[in-house]
């Protein structure tokens, strides 16, 4: 979409009951819009004219980016957790969203991809140092087993968070708020969760710990 005001390189994300509504800056006054909705609502919005849809977007975004003009065809697709059955094949390794698609609710997709890159670089460079075939099956299998658990665990956590946050049943909401409040007050637990999500654990790839390979 084009906007009348400059985004100044800032991404805006609104957390709504159906999921994130985010504008992600592109070169010029263009932004990419990610709008998460229920299946019924998505069908309704996709059927709107570009002008009507632009108006709906302005209503959500307020005055942050001014008036909106839709410049590309609107597309919709189901948002679901996807994990590649195999992250490696002969002389091939998948990284980032090609290997795993997690719900954006926890903002962890890019972090997972960075961990993949750091882990792959580490196993490949170590193999080269040892004079091994750095694209060989053993080396790629090591990359896969290193990343598999973390990726699956994060995918499950984000999927659970999504179910929890999109649930409007009062007792579930109360339990969720209580849980979040407790984690927020439990300093060391919160710190450990942040360190784990950032890959800053003793088992994390060295590059993420700021160490040379
Ligand atoms: C609303 C939203 C908020 C998010 N917030 C966060 C956050 O706060 N923190 C976080 O860590 N993650 C976040 N993520 C997730 C993050 O954006 C993705 O996990 C990350 O961008 C994946 O990077 P990638 O390089 O693997 O894939 P992509 O960013 O999808 O890059 C793939 C590139 O390949 C190009 N491409 C595709 N097919 C072809 C082809 N055939 N030939 C040539 N090029 C091709 C695409 O155009 C694209 O540029 C968010 C995602 C969304 C949707």
């Amino acid at each position: 979409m084009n906007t009348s005001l400059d985004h100044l390189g800032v991404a805006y994300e609104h957390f709504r009951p159906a999921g994130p509504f985010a504008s992600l800056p592109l070169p010029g006054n263009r932004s990419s819009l990610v709008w998460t909705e229920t299946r019924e609502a998505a069908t309704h919005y996709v059927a709107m004219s570009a002008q009507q849809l632009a108006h709906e977007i302005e209503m959500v975004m307020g005055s942050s980016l001014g008036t909106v003009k839709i410049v590309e065809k609107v597309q919709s697709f189901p948002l679901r957790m996807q994990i590649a059955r195999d992250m490696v094949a002969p002389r091939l390794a998948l990284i980032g969203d090609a290997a795993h698609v997690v719900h954006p609710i926890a903002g962890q997709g890019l972090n997972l991809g960075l961990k993949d890159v750091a882990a792959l670089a580490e196993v490949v460079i170590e193999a080269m140092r040892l004079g091994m075939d750095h694209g060989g099956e053993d080396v790629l299998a090591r990359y896969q087993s290193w990343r598999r658990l973390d990726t699956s665990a994060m995918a499950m956590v984000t999927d659970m968070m999504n179910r929890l946050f999109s649930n409007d049943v009062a007792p579930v909401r109360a339990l969720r708020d209580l849980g979040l409040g407790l984690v927020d007050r439990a300093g060391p637990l919160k710190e450990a969760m942040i360190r784990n999500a950032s890959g800053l654990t003793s088992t994390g790839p060295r590059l993420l710990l700021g160490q040379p390979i």
Side-chain angles (χ1 to χ4, degrees):
M1 62 184 189
N2 276 352
T3 54
S4 61
L5 298 180
D6 191 342
H7 50 58
L8 301 170
V10 175
Y12 294 89
E13 191 161 354
H14 302 253
F15 292 95
R16 292 156 41 100
F21 178 104
S23 72
L24 309 160
L26 293 173
N29 268 23
R30 289 172 62 230
S31 294
S32 169
L33 187 85
V34 178
W35 184 346
T36 322
E37 272 301 346
T38 59
R39 196 178 293 267
E40 297 73 32
T43 312
H44 168 71
Y45 287 121
V46 168
M48 280 184 172
S49 71
Q51 223 173 357
Q52 277 176 311
L53 196 60
H55 178 66
E56 295 288 334
I57 294 169
E58 285 166 13
M59 302 275 282
V60 180
M61 306 222 12
S63 55
S64 49
L65 291 175
T67 52
V68 167
K69 187 171 176 209
I70 311 275
V71 288
E72 275 184 32
K73 190 176 175 315
V74 175
Q75 297 183 47
S76 73
F77 52 87
L79 192 58
R80 55 175 169 240
M81 178 174 95
Q82 284 176 297
I83 303 183
R85 200 175 304 126
D86 297 305
M87 286 177 82
V88 298
R91 311 208 83 74
L92 178 129
L94 297 179
I95 56 169
D97 276 18
H100 37 69
V101 179
V102 301
H103 195 282
I105 193 164
Q108 287 303 314
L110 181 66
N111 283 349
L112 282 178
L114 293 176
K115 287 197 232 176
D116 296 342
V117 173
L120 185 60
E122 192 165 324
V123 296
V124 165
I125 290 173
E126 277 179 1
M128 287 171 85
R129 284 218 182 95
L130 295 170
M132 294 165 67
D133 171 9
H134 55 275
E137 216 174 291
D138 295 1
V139 176
L140 296 183
R142 202 180 142 224
Y143 161 69
Q144 172 162 269
S145 64
W146 195 357
R147 295 298 306 132
R148 176 62 90 194
L149 183 65
D150 183 40
T151 301
S152 310
M154 187 55 79
M156 273 188 274
V157 168
T158 50
D159 193 54
M160 202 179 71
M161 277 176 76
N162 179 40
R163 285 168 203 267
L164 213 57
F165 278 88
S166 53
N167 194 312
D168 231 11
V169 178
V172 177
R173 252 189 9 234
L175 209 62
R176 175 188 77 200
D177 295 346
L178 178 72
L180 282 177
L182 286 176
V183 171
D184 199 34
R185 275 183 212 103
L189 175 63
K190 188 175 158 187
E191 181 70 19
M193 286 169 84
I194 294 172
R195 288 184 69 78
N196 193 46
S198 317
L200 302 176
T201 58
S202 56
T203 54
R206 285 209 283 273
L207 281 179
L208 288 189
L209 297 167
Q211 297 168 1
I213 298 177

